[in-house]
Amino acid sequence: MTTADGAVLGATKIVDGGSSALRWELVIMGDGFRRGELGRFEAETRRVVEAVLRTPPYDELRAAINVYRVDVASTDSGATDPVDCAGGSGAVKRTYFDATFCGDRRNRRLLVVDEATAQTVAAEKVPGWDAAMVIVNSTVYGGSGGKVAVLSLAPEAVDLALHEFGHSAFQLADEYESLSGCGRPGDADHAVHPPGEPPEPNVTVNTDRATLKWRQLVAPTTPLPTSRNANCRQCDQQDSPQPPGTVGLYEGADCYHCGAYRPEFDCKMRTLPAPYCAVCRRRVRQTLTPLLPPVPPVAATAWGPRRLDLFVSGGGQACHHKWFDGSAWGPSLDGAWQGQGGILLGPPEAVSGGPRRLDVFAVGSDHALYHKAFGNGGWAPSLTGWRRLGGVVQGQPEAVSWGPGRVDVFVVGGHRALYHRWSDDGRWQPASGFERLGGVAISQPHAVTWGPGRLDLFVVGGDRALYHRSFDDGGWQPSFKRLGGELSGEPAVVSWGSGRLDVFAVGPGQVLLHKFWDGAGWQPPQTGWEPLGGALVGSPAAVSWEPGRLDVFHVGRDRAVYHKWFDGSAWKPSTDGWRRLGGQAVGAVSAVSWEPGRLDVFHVGGDRAVYHKWFDGSAWGPSLDGAWRRLGGSAEF
Amino acid sequence: MGPSTGPAPRGAVRLTFRYEGDQVWLVSRRRVDKLLPPDEEAQQAAERQGFFAEVRSADGRVLDRRLLHDLVPRDREVFADPEGSPVRVPVERPAGIFSLLVPELEESDHVALVERGPYGQAAADALDVGDRRVAANELIRVPLRGEEHPGAAP
């Protein structure tokens, strides 16, 4: 039984969250499937993947995940099942990964594979793999963990895989309180956890509320410890003293009866059917949230009433364009997009400085910044050509225009500092390259202008606070000013007129935060922020159609788009309330307004097509909380 | 002066190791086109017990630290009861391979696999409760510069 007992046939990306370099990648391989059974492997893989992606918090993070299916044909069907273990059939199967029950010659449920071979195949097919799984063609319940999660076709085995991902991909500890099983021989020996704080985020020996690893999730009224085991020679027998979901300190964890604590009474890292506890969900989010697409996949701009231009990175990573001219979508509604060439690393950026003027920027495969412009009825340098503006860019560019003929573009470059170039009537400045604006950004740059000669630049700094630097009277402020916050994702900035700035960002608990400049100072003052509710996945989008009006959008944990607005006197539908606009977005949302009363909102759906919803001043089209209009395309990000 | 004066995003390195008992060998080192966000938990866990991968500069500064769970497992989980908790059974002869991804940073010189404080009852007996002066045991140090290492254990 070796790799001679089969062959690796190929890999297929079955969940496409985007570029391999920027996503968490799960590889699923099969064992004990003969060539004629690979259809079943495909179906079983789909079932497992759907179950994983339905499980919180993976359900809200699917845009950060790629899944690959690796088809492996084995000589025999099934798995070896030695009679050494009670119930073993004695079957000996020749399979590629040597799947066998009774992996320790004592426990039939211990279904193991050759982990070295599985890791080698995973690396050959998906060099950047983060987690690997082998599905074994047997309906007998079984599985194992380690470097590779192994599971049989038994439906309950999916929970086993989710438990193992907790270990192998997110470094979570076991939250059960026995090594050999409660009440089993040897159980009494695992009484008290040794001293020293375990490194894993979900178990602790520390009972100090002030320094506890998950103190932010513990309510002040929850007693600590929350439960104690009265007899350390056995597992705790009591029921939970708190309602389900209460985060505290429950004694019994990390395979010890006493001295170690878990965050909730139950968790998937303790018993398999349970959901992940809040601390484990937080760890998964902490790992995967930075891999969510940082900027909206659709760049949308309007040069005037009844005009829209959309740009995405489409098939072959080329730039693709679609436009609305007031009467119809070009080149067509739900069909082709106009190819505009290039090999883009991430979504393009688009801005309009006036009627019939577009400037589009993108980062090329050499990490340099590229530009093309539409004016005088045509594209320059050509429809599919791009002009190289140089640099080595990290992430995506941000562009603004304060009027015809003027465009400013910002990028994050070396040492995560901010850099700037601008064009006056087609002449790029500085002529020699980029102007260095300094700072250390962990976000993309975000810029806005309230009129000629004024620029405001925002980034999230290394301490996760927001930083701001403005350009006025022909010069930049001397340095970035810290505006506070403990932010994740990308902020959104908008100006409804001279002397007004509104900034939106994602704060702790994935709540939307707001701060504004009223011409005299920041409100709330200094480093304060106003919470506006929500449960954001990814980053917000903000737009203003006239002074006093703000519209903000985000994608929620159910992947629907949500909306709230400020009408000049109050937030609607309420300060922390949001109106659901439906949809199934896999990236952040984009919004644009071409005139007062008009909103156009775009997202990319699970089929990678672009979807559109609009507000015409009286109602949402095609409907409020229902269908979106499909604009086709195949966006990559 | 422009962005081109700084480093390009440099991706990651996949390191594959073979282990047998307490011995760990490098099997391969390959560059991977992947951007790895920092492991925030590992930064906070620097003084805790456990296994870590530390990317260091030539002068020994830790540039990146990643938490590694159960690097050299001495037991395995058995899932006898789909409705209940798993149990652990000892591994007779710990041996196998593992791989990890570390970021390729501008000043990266080498990566060290570090075990801070023995993690078990025997070690606990030798420690005072609350003692945070955990000893760091470097299991292996692997250079990150130079040609890729396609594989070969000693």
Side-chain angles (χ1 to χ4, degrees), chain A residues 43-312:
Chain A
E44 293 292 341
T45 300
R46 200 161 49 241
R47 176 183 64 82
V48 169
V49 169
E50 287 171 1
V52 169
L53 295 181
R54 271 198 312 268
T55 301
Y58 302 108
D59 59 340
E60 70 196 55
L61 297 162
R62 53 192 302 151
I65 298 171
N66 287 338
V67 183
Y68 297 82
R69 187 190 74 241
V70 177
D71 292 329
V72 181
S74 290
T75 303
D76 290 337
S77 176
T80 295
D81 194 7
V83 294
D84 299 8
C85 292
S89 67
V92 176
K93 303 288 187 178
R94 292 174 296 162
T95 69
Y96 191 83
F97 293 116
D98 295 343
T100 180
F101 288 95
C102 191
D104 64 344
R105 302 196 191 114
R106 283 191 290 274
N107 294 280
R108 189 186 181 209
R109 304 296 188 194
L110 186 59
L111 173 60
V112 299
V113 299
D114 180 341
E115 281 194 338
T117 301
Q119 291 178 80
T120 300
V121 171
E124 283 174 359
K125 295 300 177 187
V126 185
W129 68 276
D130 293 280
M133 175 196 293
V134 175
I135 297 176
V136 176
N137 186 19
S138 169
T139 55
V140 176
Y141 177 74
S144 62
K147 313 307 177 193
V148 175
V150 182
L151 64 154
S152 70
L153 302 182
E156 310 89 333
V158 174
D159 286 324
L160 181 159
L162 290 165
H163 176 96
E164 285 308 323
F165 288 161
H167 292 316
S168 60
F170 304 106
Q171 297 78 44
L172 297 170
D174 288 316
E175 295 186 23
Y176 47 86
E177 58 197 285
S178 173
L179 189 72
S180 57
C182 293
R184 293 186 183 176
D187 181 38
D189 298 336
H190 245 235
V192 180
H193 194 280
E197 179 67 8
E200 294 89 351
N202 62 325
V203 294
T204 186
V205 298
N206 179 17
T207 59
D208 181 358
R209 189 184 292 269
T211 58
L212 175 63
K213 280 188 270 200
W214 53 81
R215 58 188 175 278
Q216 300 92 339
L217 301 176
V218 180
T221 53
T222 303
L224 296 183
T226 313
S227 72
R228 299 297 301 263
N229 185 352
N231 182 356
C232 292
R233 292 188 61 77
Q234 65 179 29
C235 295
D236 194 1
Q237 305 295 311
Q238 66 181 312
D239 293 332
S240 177
Q242 298 286 336
T246 303
V247 178
L249 280 173
Y250 299 82
E251 190 165 36
D254 207 16
C255 299
Y256 286 88
H257 300 145
C258 289
Y261 299 85
R262 60 190 189 274
E264 287 187 31
F265 191 78
D266 207 357
C267 174
K268 192 167 290 298
M269 299 311 291
R270 176 176 170 86
T271 56
L272 297 181
Y276 287 113
C277 67
V279 170
C280 292
R281 293 197 304 272
R282 182 175 71 167
R283 171 61 176 173
V284 176
R285 285 193 193 105
Q286 185 186 55
T287 306
L288 298 189
T289 298
L291 302 175
L292 287 170
V295 293
V298 183
T301 188
W303 71 44
R306 303 190 61 74
R307 175 72 193 197
L308 294 168
D309 287 275
L310 310 182
F311 300 86
V312 299

Side-chain angles (χ1 to χ4, degrees), chain A residues 20-23 25 104-107 109-110 112 115-116 119-120 123 127-130 141 143-145 147 156 160 163-164 167 171-174 176 179-181 184 192-201 213 254-256 270-273 283 286 290-291 367 391-394 411 413-415 419 434-436 464, chain B residues 1-9 14 16 18-19 31-42 44-45 47-52 67-73 75-90 92 96-99 101 106 119-121 123-125 127-132 134:
Chain A
S20 294
L22 302 171
R23 298 293 177 269
E25 301 207 290
D104 64 344
R105 302 196 191 114
R106 283 191 290 274
N107 294 280
R109 304 296 188 194
L110 186 59
V112 299
E115 281 194 338
Q119 291 178 80
T120 300
W129 68 276
D130 293 280
Y141 177 74
S144 62
K147 313 307 177 193
E156 310 89 333
L160 181 159
H163 176 96
E164 285 308 323
H167 292 316
Q171 297 78 44
L172 297 170
D174 288 316
Y176 47 86
L179 189 72
S180 57
R184 293 186 183 176
V192 180
H193 194 280
E197 179 67 8
E200 294 89 351
K213 280 188 270 200
D254 207 16
C255 299
Y256 286 88
R270 176 176 170 86
T271 56
L272 297 181
R283 171 61 176 173
Q286 185 186 55
L291 302 175
H367 294 276
V392 181
V393 179
Q394 301 190 35
V411 298
H415 303 284
Y419 292 85
F434 285 78
E435 173 189 30
R436 189 179 194 277
R464 297 174 62 189
Chain B
M1 186 169 176
S4 58
T5 58
R14 180 176 291 285
T16 302
R18 180 171 294 281
Y19 67 94
R31 292 199 65 229
V32 177
D33 183 20
K34 193 170 180 92
L35 298 178
L36 298 179
D39 182 348
E40 293 183 18
E41 187 71 28
Q44 299 163 17
E47 298 306 318
R48 297 178 197 154
Q49 300 181 30
F51 291 103
F52 299 87
L67 180 57
L68 306 170
H69 176 77
D70 211 9
L71 193 65
V72 181
D75 48 41
R76 299 194 75 144
E77 283 187 299
V78 177
F79 301 86
D81 175 10
E83 296 298 314
S85 297
V87 299
R88 287 191 168 268
V89 297
E92 289 178 7
I97 75 167
F98 62 85
S99 78
L101 288 165
E106 185 182 21
Y119 197 47
Q121 189 63 54
D125 291 343
L127 291 171
D128 294 330
V129 174
D131 188 351
R132 299 181 73 80
V134 289

